[in-house]
Amino acid sequence: MGIFGSFTRNKKENLDKGLSKTKESVFKKLGRAVVGKSKVDDEVLDNLEEVLITSDVGVDTTLKIIERIEARVARDKYMGIDELNSILKEEIVALLDENNSGDVSDFDIPETEKPYVIMVVGVNGVGKTTTIGKLAYQFKQAGKSVVLGASDTFRAAAIEQLEIWAQRVDVPLVKQKMGSDPASVAYDALSSAKAQNADVVIIDTAGRLHNKVNLMNELSKIKKVMARIVPGAPHEVLLILDGSTGQNAFEQAKQFTKATEVTALALTKLDGTAKGGVVIGISDQFKIPVKYIGIGEKMEHLQIFRRREFVESLFSED
Ligand SMILES: Nc1nc2c(ncn2[C@@H]2O[C@H](COP(=O)(O)OP(=O)(O)OP(=O)(O)O)[C@@H](O)[C@H]2O)c(=O)[nH]1
Ligand SMILES: [Mg+2]
């Protein structure tokens, strides 16, 4: 197995640990849902529905999952309680596979776009800057050269925070003074990346401006400027959502995707919350793929969202 075996094992351990609060809560509830039962009947299905809804999977996605299990019980005539867990996992993975193409294979970027430009958006405090730092780390590990752009010029602390990440990961940062034009910072960052022949540029943006219209105008202005320097940029607009806010993350995704074009989602802070089920709901309800999940504050605590691994981890006891 060599290093790959232990590498994979570490990732699984990180995932299990990161999801431990959700796992614990889901498992407790599942246990209660089937207590004293030997087969899956209507009462078990009702209880299961409640387990999924109270685990922040969301009503629509929960109903789809229950329908699938019902159909299966009807087809097979009998389903023992001991089979329920593995069938639940199977059906959730199948559901998520339905409206999504394959998982992203790894921290990678298309080689056809150079520099590949990622613009990171989301409301304040969701984990944008932290996710950028973690992404820079992963891309660098994968042998890519990375440039960061501090287009959140709204607060001085925002620029400093990105600067700390740039130093930690050892990648160049392009910044200006607080209060300067975010589009101008993006312009500089892309120009610098081009001049250095860098592989990836990641642009931080402000989550809070005076109001929402201002924010959306700002984002479209940044985009326009980017496309002037690198045709087709931004290649990716990554919306960050705070998973620990459960159904609020859902609402934010709805509002943001209505107001601006988003191409990928990242759900952060899944450690420290029992609301991890929200990833399943969001992955099912939005056409936009969940690409990354944040499971801690450290550099290595960002993972590619892999449906099967995620579901497997969430519904397994250890
Ligand atoms: N536990 C945990 N904390 C996280 C994770 N991601 C981000 N955080 C923490 O969440 C807080 C906010 O993260 P930021 O990266 O500053 O969020 P932001 O969206 O850039 O915030 P603004 O710049 O204020 O809009 C910080 O304390 C981070 O350490 C995560 O996956 N797990
Ligand atoms: Mg920030």
Side-chain angles (χ1 to χ4, degrees), residues 129 152 161 204:
T129 307
D152 179 359
Q161 193 191 348
D204 197 5

Side-chain angles (χ1 to χ4, degrees), residues 124-130 134 155 161 269 271 294-297:
N124 55 296
V126 289
K128 291 182 297 297
T129 307
T130 308
K134 293 170 177 174
R155 294 178 303 121
Q161 193 191 348
K269 310 191 200 178
D271 57 305
I295 48 171
E297 291 187 277

Side-chain angles (χ1 to χ4, degrees), residues 43-110:
E43 199 188 332
V44 170
L45 287 172
D46 280 350
N47 293 346
L48 181 61
E49 184 177 311
E50 199 184 318
V51 171
L52 294 173
I53 289 174
T54 57
S55 303
D56 275 86
V57 169
V59 175
D60 293 345
T61 302
T62 295
L63 293 181
K64 284 202 229 170
I65 296 168
I66 296 295
E67 261 170 38
R68 295 179 79 111
I69 296 180
E70 257 167 2
R72 222 156 139 171
V73 174
R75 201 167 58 226
D76 299 352
K77 302 284 190 292
Y78 180 91
M79 189 189 288
I81 285 298
D82 47 346
E83 295 167 75
L84 182 61
N85 188 277
S86 65
I87 283 164
L88 180 62
K89 286 193 265 192
E90 250 173 59
E91 292 301 333
I92 293 177
V93 173
L95 175 69
L96 298 187
D97 279 344
E98 249 170 35
N99 63 346
N100 279 293
S101 49
D103 292 335
V104 182
S105 62
D106 225 320
F107 287 98
D108 206 1
I109 40 167

Side-chain angles (χ1 to χ4, degrees), residues 5 32 78 113 122 140 147 165 209 213 222 287 301 307:
R32 269 187 247 129
Y78 180 91
E113 313 292 350
K140 208 180 162 205
V147 172
W165 271 107
L209 285 183
V213 177
I222 298 175
K287 291 277 170 282
H301 286 156
R307 279 159 263 176

Side-chain angles (χ1 to χ4, degrees), residues 109-110 113-120 147 186 189-190 193-194 198-203 222-223 226-227 229-238 263:
I109 40 167
E113 313 292 350
K114 196 171 168 140
Y116 185 74
V117 180
I118 304 172
M119 177 167 144
V120 176
V147 172
L190 267 60
K194 244 174 118 170
D199 297 309
V200 200
V201 193
I202 316 175
I203 303 291
I222 298 175
K223 275 198 207 165
M226 286 178 172
I229 311 165
V230 178
H235 305 102
E236 185 167 320
V237 179
L238 179 64
T263 64

Side-chain angles (χ1 to χ4, degrees), residues 37-312:
K37 294 282 186 178
S38 59
K39 71 177 185 103
V40 178
D41 56 16
D42 287 348
E43 199 188 332
V44 170
L45 287 172
D46 280 350
N47 293 346
L48 181 61
E49 184 177 311
E50 199 184 318
V51 171
L52 294 173
I53 289 174
T54 57
S55 303
D56 275 86
V57 169
V59 175
D60 293 345
T61 302
T62 295
L63 293 181
K64 284 202 229 170
I65 296 168
I66 296 295
E67 261 170 38
R68 295 179 79 111
I69 296 180
E70 257 167 2
R72 222 156 139 171
V73 174
R75 201 167 58 226
D76 299 352
K77 302 284 190 292
Y78 180 91
M79 189 189 288
I81 285 298
D82 47 346
E83 295 167 75
L84 182 61
N85 188 277
S86 65
I87 283 164
L88 180 62
K89 286 193 265 192
E90 250 173 59
E91 292 301 333
I92 293 177
V93 173
L95 175 69
L96 298 187
D97 279 344
E98 249 170 35
N99 63 346
N100 279 293
S101 49
D103 292 335
V104 182
S105 62
D106 225 320
F107 287 98
D108 206 1
I109 40 167
E111 300 211 334
T112 43
E113 313 292 350
K114 196 171 168 140
Y116 185 74
V117 180
I118 304 172
M119 177 167 144
V120 176
V121 302
V123 305
N124 55 296
V126 289
K128 291 182 297 297
T129 307
T130 308
T131 304
I132 292 170
K134 293 170 177 174
L135 266 179
Y137 166 74
Q138 292 290 353
F139 287 137
K140 208 180 162 205
Q141 290 284 98
K144 309 286 178 194
S145 51
V146 186
V147 172
L148 301 183
S151 284
D152 179 359
T153 60
F154 200 62
R155 294 178 303 121
I159 303 171
E160 283 160 24
Q161 193 191 348
L162 193 64
E163 194 155 34
I164 292 169
W165 271 107
Q167 282 162 4
R168 196 180 287 159
V169 181
D170 192 23
V171 296
L173 168 77
V174 175
K175 60 167 187 174
Q176 290 180 17
K177 286 199 303 283
M178 180 197 145
S180 48
D181 179 9
S184 156
V185 179
Y187 185 97
D188 286 356
L190 267 60
S191 309
S192 164
K194 244 174 118 170
Q196 295 173 47
N197 204 23
D199 297 309
V200 200
V201 193
I202 316 175
I203 303 291
D204 197 5
T205 64
R208 171 177 32 197
L209 285 183
H210 304 291
N211 61 53
K212 211 172 105 193
V213 177
N214 271 353
L215 176 61
M216 294 308 159
N217 287 342
E218 191 69 71
L219 294 180
S220 46
K221 191 175 151 203
I222 298 175
K223 275 198 207 165
K224 253 185 234 152
V225 167
M226 286 178 172
R228 261 191 255 140
I229 311 165
V230 178
H235 305 102
E236 185 167 320
V237 179
L238 179 64
L239 173 64
I240 313 292
L241 299 166
D242 178 344
S244 71
T245 64
Q247 295 308 297
N248 275 340
F250 237 100
E251 277 310 306
Q252 274 172 30
K254 262 192 219 154
Q255 290 185 8
F256 241 95
T257 50
K258 236 188 264 164
T260 185
E261 195 199 347
V262 172
T263 64
L265 305 174
L267 275 124
T268 62
K269 310 191 200 178
L270 295 176
D271 57 305
T273 179
K275 296 177 187 285
V278 71
V279 182
I280 292 174
I282 286 184
S283 176
D284 171 53
Q285 299 285 313
F286 290 90
K287 291 277 170 282
I288 305 156
V290 175
K291 208 165 172 185
Y292 307 112
I293 50 172
I295 48 171
E297 291 187 277
K298 297 217 182 87
M299 274 201 273
E300 59 273 23
H301 286 156
L302 185 75
Q303 291 198 349
I304 306 264
F305 174 60
R306 293 195 175 85
R307 279 159 263 176
R308 184 168 291 278
E309 280 175 19
F310 186 87
V311 170
E312 192 60 54

